[in-house]
Protein backbone atom coordinates (compact mmCIF):
# COMPACT_ATOMS: atom_id res chain seq x y z
CA UNK A 1 0.00 0.00 0.00
CA UNK A 2 2.80 2.30 0.95
CA UNK A 3 4.58 1.56 -2.32
CA UNK A 4 1.51 2.31 -4.42
CA UNK A 5 0.80 5.48 -2.48
CA UNK A 6 4.37 6.56 -3.03
CA UNK A 7 3.98 6.12 -6.78
CA UNK A 8 0.76 8.12 -7.02
CA UNK A 9 1.21 10.85 -4.44
CA UNK A 10 4.23 12.80 -3.53
CA UNK A 11 4.51 14.88 -0.42
CA UNK A 12 4.26 15.12 3.33
CA UNK A 13 1.50 12.57 3.78
CA UNK A 14 3.67 9.82 2.32
CA UNK A 15 6.66 10.82 4.39
CA UNK A 16 4.47 10.66 7.45
CA UNK A 17 3.21 7.19 6.51
CA UNK A 18 6.74 5.88 6.20
CA UNK A 19 7.65 7.39 9.53
CA UNK A 20 4.51 5.99 11.04
CA UNK A 21 5.24 2.54 9.66
CA UNK A 22 8.79 2.71 10.99
CA UNK A 23 7.43 3.55 14.43
CA UNK A 24 4.98 0.66 14.28
CA UNK A 25 7.80 -1.69 13.27
CA UNK A 26 9.96 -0.42 16.10
CA UNK A 27 7.18 -0.81 18.67
CA UNK A 28 6.39 -4.33 17.44
CA UNK A 29 10.08 -5.25 17.54
CA UNK A 30 10.49 -3.93 21.08
CA UNK A 31 7.36 -5.70 22.29
CA UNK A 32 8.49 -8.98 20.77
CA UNK A 33 11.99 -8.49 22.14
CA UNK A 34 10.58 -7.93 25.61
CA UNK A 35 8.35 -11.01 25.45
CA UNK A 36 11.34 -13.14 24.48
CA UNK A 37 13.93 -11.43 26.67
CA UNK A 38 15.94 -13.18 29.29
CA UNK A 39 15.46 -10.22 31.59
CA UNK A 40 18.04 -11.22 34.19
CA UNK A 41 20.76 -11.32 31.55
CA UNK A 42 19.68 -8.52 29.24
CA UNK A 43 18.77 -5.82 31.76
CA UNK A 44 21.29 -3.89 33.75
CA UNK A 45 21.34 -0.77 35.87
CA UNK A 46 23.32 2.43 35.54
CA UNK A 47 23.65 4.80 38.48
CA UNK A 48 23.74 8.56 38.31
CA UNK A 49 24.99 10.31 41.42
CA UNK A 50 23.23 13.15 43.16
CA UNK A 51 25.64 15.59 44.82
CA UNK A 52 25.46 18.31 47.45
CA UNK A 53 25.84 21.65 45.62
CA UNK A 54 28.13 23.08 48.30
CA UNK A 55 30.56 20.21 48.75
CA UNK A 56 30.18 18.19 45.53
CA UNK A 57 30.04 15.08 47.71
CA UNK A 58 27.63 12.37 46.46
CA UNK A 59 24.62 11.93 48.72
CA UNK A 60 22.66 9.49 46.61
CA UNK A 61 22.22 7.90 43.20
CA UNK A 62 19.38 7.21 40.80
CA UNK A 63 19.07 3.73 39.31
CA UNK A 64 18.44 3.94 35.55
CA UNK A 65 17.43 0.87 33.57
CA UNK A 66 19.43 -0.33 30.56
CA UNK A 67 18.40 -3.03 28.09
CA UNK A 68 20.88 -4.67 25.80
CA UNK A 69 18.84 -6.89 23.52
CA UNK A 70 20.64 -9.57 21.46
CA UNK A 71 18.24 -8.75 18.60
CA UNK A 72 17.72 -4.99 18.87
CA UNK A 73 20.93 -3.81 20.53
CA UNK A 74 20.69 -1.10 23.19
CA UNK A 75 17.16 0.21 23.62
CA UNK A 76 16.60 3.40 25.62
CA UNK A 77 14.51 3.08 28.79
CA UNK A 78 12.10 5.77 27.64
CA UNK A 79 11.19 3.45 24.76
CA UNK A 80 11.18 0.06 26.38
CA UNK A 81 9.40 1.05 29.59
CA UNK A 82 6.53 2.50 27.55
CA UNK A 83 6.30 -0.69 25.48
CA UNK A 84 6.63 -2.91 28.53
CA UNK A 85 3.56 -1.10 29.89
CA UNK A 86 1.65 -1.62 26.65
CA UNK A 87 2.52 -5.30 26.35
CA UNK A 88 1.78 -6.08 29.99
CA UNK A 89 5.28 -7.15 31.06
CA UNK A 90 6.09 -4.00 33.01
CA UNK A 91 5.56 -5.62 36.41
CA UNK A 92 8.03 -8.37 35.60
CA UNK A 93 10.48 -5.75 34.24
CA UNK A 94 10.23 -3.62 37.38
CA UNK A 95 10.61 -6.59 39.70
CA UNK A 96 13.75 -7.71 37.85
CA UNK A 97 15.20 -4.19 37.90
CA UNK A 98 14.48 -3.66 41.59
CA UNK A 99 16.02 -7.01 42.54
CA UNK A 100 19.14 -6.22 40.51
CA UNK A 101 19.47 -2.70 41.88
CA UNK A 102 19.17 -3.77 45.51
CA UNK A 103 21.63 -6.63 45.06
CA UNK A 104 24.21 -4.25 43.58
CA UNK A 105 23.85 -1.29 45.90
CA UNK A 106 23.88 -3.50 49.00
CA UNK A 107 27.60 -4.00 48.33
CA UNK A 108 28.38 -0.27 48.07
CA UNK A 109 30.16 1.51 50.90
CA UNK A 110 28.63 4.48 52.72
CA UNK A 111 25.05 5.43 53.30
CA UNK A 112 23.90 6.95 50.01
CA UNK A 113 20.20 6.97 49.21
CA UNK A 114 19.18 5.07 46.09
CA UNK A 115 16.31 6.24 43.90
CA UNK A 116 14.29 3.77 41.87
CA UNK A 117 11.74 4.76 39.19
CA UNK A 118 8.19 3.41 39.18
CA UNK A 119 5.81 3.69 36.25
CA UNK A 120 2.06 4.21 36.24
CA UNK A 121 1.38 0.50 35.82
CA UNK A 122 3.60 -0.30 38.76
CA UNK A 123 1.58 1.75 41.16
CA UNK A 124 -1.74 0.65 39.62
CA UNK A 125 -1.57 -2.91 40.93
CA UNK A 126 -1.66 -3.51 44.66
CA UNK A 127 -0.59 -7.14 44.17
CA UNK A 128 2.52 -5.94 42.36
CA UNK A 129 3.29 -3.30 45.00
CA UNK A 130 3.18 -6.05 47.63
CA UNK A 131 5.64 -8.05 45.51
CA UNK A 132 7.94 -5.02 45.34
CA UNK A 133 7.68 -4.64 49.11
CA UNK A 134 8.71 -8.27 49.53
CA UNK A 135 11.71 -7.73 47.25
CA UNK A 136 12.80 -4.76 49.38
CA UNK A 137 12.30 -6.61 52.63
CA UNK A 138 14.19 -9.68 51.52
CA UNK A 139 17.17 -7.62 50.28
CA UNK A 140 20.17 -6.54 52.32
CA UNK A 141 19.57 -2.88 51.52
CA UNK A 142 18.01 -0.75 54.31
CA UNK A 143 14.55 0.35 53.06
CA UNK A 144 14.97 3.75 54.66
CA UNK A 145 17.76 4.54 52.19
CA UNK A 146 15.50 3.70 49.25
CA UNK A 147 13.43 6.33 47.41
CA UNK A 148 10.72 5.55 44.87
CA UNK A 149 10.41 8.13 42.09
CA UNK A 150 6.99 8.74 40.62
CA UNK A 151 5.95 11.36 38.09
CA UNK A 152 3.00 13.64 38.47
CA UNK A 153 1.32 12.17 35.38
CA UNK A 154 1.53 8.76 37.03
CA UNK A 155 -0.11 10.08 40.17
CA UNK A 156 -2.86 11.83 38.25
CA UNK A 157 -4.12 8.64 36.64
CA UNK A 158 -5.70 7.57 39.90
CA UNK A 159 -5.07 9.79 42.88
CA UNK A 160 -6.80 7.62 45.47
CA UNK A 161 -4.90 4.52 44.46
CA UNK A 162 -1.69 6.51 44.28
CA UNK A 163 -2.24 7.66 47.84
CA UNK A 164 -2.65 4.08 49.11
CA UNK A 165 0.38 2.88 47.16
CA UNK A 166 2.58 5.64 48.47
CA UNK A 167 1.45 4.84 52.02
CA UNK A 168 2.42 1.23 51.47
CA UNK A 169 5.89 2.16 50.26
CA UNK A 170 6.28 4.62 53.12
CA UNK A 171 5.23 1.83 55.47
CA UNK A 172 8.45 0.06 54.50
CA UNK A 173 10.35 3.09 55.73
CA UNK A 174 11.23 4.14 52.17
CA UNK A 175 10.81 7.62 50.73
CA UNK A 176 8.84 8.98 47.79
CA UNK A 177 10.02 11.59 45.28
CA UNK A 178 7.90 13.48 42.77
CA UNK A 179 9.90 13.26 39.52
CA UNK A 180 9.97 15.78 36.63
CA UNK A 181 8.36 18.42 38.85
CA UNK A 182 7.29 21.50 36.91
CA UNK A 183 6.36 19.74 33.67
CA UNK A 184 2.77 18.83 34.49
CA UNK A 185 0.20 20.71 36.50
CA UNK A 186 2.58 20.97 39.45
CA UNK A 187 -0.41 21.40 41.66
CA UNK A 188 0.61 22.15 45.18
CA UNK A 189 -2.30 20.06 46.39
CA UNK A 190 -0.43 16.81 45.59
CA UNK A 191 2.54 18.01 47.49
CA UNK A 192 0.31 18.85 50.41
CA UNK A 193 -1.98 15.83 50.38
CA UNK A 194 0.31 13.00 49.33
CA UNK A 195 3.08 11.57 51.47
CA UNK A 196 5.91 13.01 49.37
CA UNK A 197 9.41 13.52 50.74
CA UNK A 198 11.23 15.05 47.80
CA UNK A 199 10.71 17.04 44.60
CA UNK A 200 12.92 16.68 41.55
CA UNK A 201 12.93 19.85 39.48
CA UNK A 202 12.74 18.88 35.83
CA UNK A 203 15.72 19.57 33.61
CA UNK A 204 13.64 21.63 31.17
CA UNK A 205 14.18 24.62 33.52
CA UNK A 206 17.93 24.23 33.18
CA UNK A 207 18.50 24.66 29.47
CA UNK A 208 18.02 28.43 29.54
CA UNK A 209 18.63 29.16 33.21
CA UNK A 210 21.72 31.29 32.52
CA UNK A 211 19.75 33.89 30.52
CA UNK A 212 16.15 33.37 31.51
CA UNK A 213 15.05 35.15 34.67
CA UNK A 214 11.73 33.31 34.63
CA UNK A 215 13.46 29.91 34.82
CA UNK A 216 15.64 31.23 37.64
CA UNK A 217 12.58 32.55 39.46
CA UNK A 218 10.71 29.25 39.06
CA UNK A 219 13.61 27.19 40.35
CA UNK A 220 14.08 29.61 43.25
CA UNK A 221 10.36 29.48 44.10
CA UNK A 222 10.35 25.65 44.10
CA UNK A 223 13.45 25.62 46.32
CA UNK A 224 11.74 27.98 48.75
CA UNK A 225 8.57 25.91 48.67
CA UNK A 226 10.60 22.82 49.53
CA UNK A 227 12.29 24.61 52.36
CA UNK A 228 9.06 25.86 53.90
CA UNK A 229 7.34 22.46 53.53
CA UNK A 230 10.44 20.66 54.78
CA UNK A 231 10.82 18.72 51.54
CA UNK A 232 14.05 17.55 50.06
CA UNK A 233 14.79 18.94 46.58
CA UNK A 234 16.96 17.83 43.65
CA UNK A 235 17.70 19.95 40.59
CA UNK A 236 18.05 17.66 37.56
CA UNK A 237 19.97 18.02 34.32
CA UNK A 238 22.88 20.29 35.31
CA UNK A 239 25.30 20.05 32.40
CA UNK A 240 27.48 23.17 32.47
CA UNK A 241 29.58 25.17 34.92
CA UNK A 242 27.49 28.24 33.99
CA UNK A 243 24.25 26.54 35.01
CA UNK A 244 25.91 25.37 38.21
CA UNK A 245 27.07 28.92 39.02
CA UNK A 246 23.57 30.34 38.61
CA UNK A 247 22.19 27.60 40.88
CA UNK A 248 24.80 28.26 43.52
CA UNK A 249 23.53 31.84 43.66
CA UNK A 250 20.08 30.48 44.58
CA UNK A 251 21.18 28.59 47.70
CA UNK A 252 22.19 25.09 48.73
CA UNK A 253 20.53 22.13 47.02
CA UNK A 254 21.07 18.64 45.71
CA UNK A 255 22.14 18.38 42.09
CA UNK A 256 21.96 15.62 39.48
CA UNK A 257 23.38 16.05 35.99
CA UNK A 258 26.10 15.23 33.51
CA UNK A 259 28.37 17.93 34.99
CA UNK A 260 28.94 15.76 38.06
CA UNK A 261 28.14 12.27 36.88
CA UNK A 262 26.78 10.49 33.87
CA UNK A 263 24.83 7.29 34.54
CA UNK A 264 27.51 4.67 35.29
CA UNK A 265 27.54 0.88 35.59
CA UNK A 266 27.94 -0.30 39.19
CA UNK A 267 31.68 -1.02 38.84
CA UNK A 268 32.39 2.53 37.57
CA UNK A 269 30.10 3.97 40.23
CA UNK A 270 32.24 2.24 42.85
CA UNK A 271 35.37 3.81 41.31
CA UNK A 272 33.69 7.23 41.49
CA UNK A 273 32.92 6.67 45.17
CA UNK A 274 36.58 5.99 45.89
CA UNK A 275 37.20 9.72 45.41
CA UNK A 276 35.12 10.29 48.51
CA UNK A 277 36.62 8.01 51.12
CA UNK A 278 34.95 7.79 54.47
CA UNK A 279 34.90 9.47 56.97
CA UNK A 280 32.94 12.15 55.14
CA UNK A 281 34.92 15.01 53.67
CA UNK A 282 32.49 17.71 54.75
CA UNK A 283 34.99 19.59 56.93
CA UNK A 284 37.98 18.77 54.82
CA UNK A 285 39.50 21.87 53.22
CA UNK A 286 40.69 19.69 50.33
CA UNK A 287 37.14 18.72 49.33
CA UNK A 288 36.87 21.44 46.69
CA UNK A 289 39.87 20.02 44.86
CA UNK A 290 38.60 16.45 45.14
CA UNK A 291 35.27 17.46 43.67
CA UNK A 292 36.84 18.86 40.54
CA UNK A 293 39.09 15.86 40.03
CA UNK A 294 36.33 13.38 40.50
CA UNK A 295 33.88 14.64 37.92
CA UNK A 296 33.29 11.97 35.31
CA UNK A 297 31.84 13.27 32.10
P1 LIG B 1 14.19 10.28 34.47
O1 LIG B 1 13.69 9.46 35.60
O2 LIG B 1 13.82 11.74 34.45
O3 LIG B 1 15.76 10.07 34.48
C1 LIG B 1 16.69 11.06 34.13
C2 LIG B 1 17.09 10.95 32.69
O4 LIG B 1 17.80 12.14 32.33
C3 LIG B 1 18.07 9.80 32.43
O5 LIG B 1 17.87 9.35 31.09
C4 LIG B 1 19.41 10.49 32.54
O6 LIG B 1 20.44 9.85 31.85
C5 LIG B 1 19.09 11.83 31.90
N1 LIG B 1 19.99 12.88 32.39
C6 LIG B 1 20.59 12.96 33.57
N2 LIG B 1 21.35 14.06 33.66
C7 LIG B 1 21.23 14.71 32.49
C8 LIG B 1 21.78 15.91 31.99
O7 LIG B 1 22.56 16.63 32.62
N3 LIG B 1 21.41 16.28 30.74
C9 LIG B 1 20.56 15.52 29.99
N4 LIG B 1 20.27 15.95 28.76
N5 LIG B 1 20.01 14.37 30.45
C10 LIG B 1 20.35 13.97 31.68
P2 LIG B 1 17.63 7.80 30.79
O8 LIG B 1 18.54 6.95 31.62
O9 LIG B 1 17.67 7.65 29.32
O10 LIG B 1 16.16 7.55 31.31
C11 LIG B 1 15.08 8.16 30.68
C12 LIG B 1 13.81 7.91 31.42
O11 LIG B 1 13.46 6.52 31.38
C13 LIG B 1 13.87 8.25 32.90
O12 LIG B 1 13.73 9.63 33.07
C14 LIG B 1 12.70 7.46 33.43
O13 LIG B 1 11.48 8.14 33.19
C15 LIG B 1 12.73 6.21 32.56
N6 LIG B 1 13.41 5.13 33.31
C16 LIG B 1 14.72 4.86 33.42
N7 LIG B 1 14.93 3.77 34.19
C17 LIG B 1 13.69 3.36 34.60
C18 LIG B 1 13.22 2.30 35.44
O14 LIG B 1 13.97 1.51 36.00
N8 LIG B 1 11.86 2.21 35.60
C19 LIG B 1 10.98 3.09 35.04
N9 LIG B 1 9.68 2.94 35.26
N10 LIG B 1 11.41 4.11 34.26
C20 LIG B 1 12.73 4.24 34.05
CA1 LIG C 1 13.62 9.56 37.70
CA1 LIG D 1 13.41 13.28 36.06
Amino acid sequence: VLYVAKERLRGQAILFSEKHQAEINETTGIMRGLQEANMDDEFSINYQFVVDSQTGVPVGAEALARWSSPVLGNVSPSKFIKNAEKSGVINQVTETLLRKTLAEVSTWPGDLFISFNLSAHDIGSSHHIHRLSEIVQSSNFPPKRLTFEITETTLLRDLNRAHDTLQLLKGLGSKVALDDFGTGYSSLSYVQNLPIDRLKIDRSFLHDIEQCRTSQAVVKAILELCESLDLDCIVEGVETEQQFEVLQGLGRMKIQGYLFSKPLPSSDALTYLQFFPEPKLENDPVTGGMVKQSRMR
Side-chain angles (χ1 to χ4, degrees), residues 48 62 64-66 77-78 97 117 179-180 203 237 239 257-258 263:
Q48 185 177 32
E62 178 173 5
L64 293 160
R66 297 292 177 258
S78 318
L97 294 171
N117 291 284
D179 202 0
D180 302 345
R203 68 184 151 92
E239 293 181 353
Y258 293 164

Side-chain angles (χ1 to χ4, degrees), residues 45 48 62-66 76-81 85 90 93-94 97 116-120 122 149 151 179-180 200 202-203 236-239 243 256-259 261-263:
I45 313 290
Q48 185 177 32
E62 178 173 5
L64 293 160
R66 297 292 177 258
S76 85
S78 318
K79 279 187 184 155
F80 77 75
I81 295 290
E85 291 193 314
I90 184 67
V93 169
T94 306
L97 294 171
F116 184 84
N117 291 284
L118 292 180
S119 75
D122 288 319
E149 295 194 5
T151 66
D179 202 0
D180 302 345
K200 295 190 77 173
D202 189 69
R203 68 184 151 92
E236 280 197 281
V238 182
E239 293 181 353
Q243 291 171 335
Q256 184 178 347
Y258 293 164
L259 181 64
S261 136
K262 285 205 164 151

Side-chain angles (χ1 to χ4, degrees), residues 124-163:
S125 153
S126 56
H127 170 73
H128 173 57
I129 290 294
H130 279 102
R131 296 261 312 134
L132 296 181
S133 305
E134 279 164 21
I135 292 172
V136 174
Q137 281 165 328
S138 60
S139 79
N140 289 323
F141 191 76
K144 69 174 178 12
R145 283 172 45 208
L146 185 62
T147 303
F148 289 97
E149 295 194 5
I150 296 167
T151 66
E152 211 181 329
T153 339
T154 298
L155 289 179
L156 272 179
R157 293 219 191 153
D158 186 345
L159 265 182
N160 287 334
R161 193 187 281 262
H163 187 270

Side-chain angles (χ1 to χ4, degrees), residues 47-115:
Y47 300 90
Q48 185 177 32
F49 288 105
V50 174
V51 305
D52 178 311
S53 67
Q54 244 168 45
T55 61
V57 172
V59 291
E62 178 173 5
L64 293 160
R66 297 292 177 258
W67 179 29
S68 173
S69 156
V71 185
L72 305 164
N74 293 335
V75 186
S76 85
S78 318
K79 279 187 184 155
F80 77 75
I81 295 290
K82 197 172 62 192
N83 285 298
E85 291 193 314
K86 279 192 205 153
S87 62
V89 293
I90 184 67
N91 293 0
Q92 199 192 338
V93 169
T94 306
E95 287 170 23
T96 308
L97 294 171
L98 183 61
R99 220 177 281 114
K100 279 189 162 246
T101 301
L102 296 176
E104 276 180 341
V105 297
S106 300
T107 66
W108 288 15
D111 57 358
L112 300 184
F113 72 77
I114 298 295
S115 268

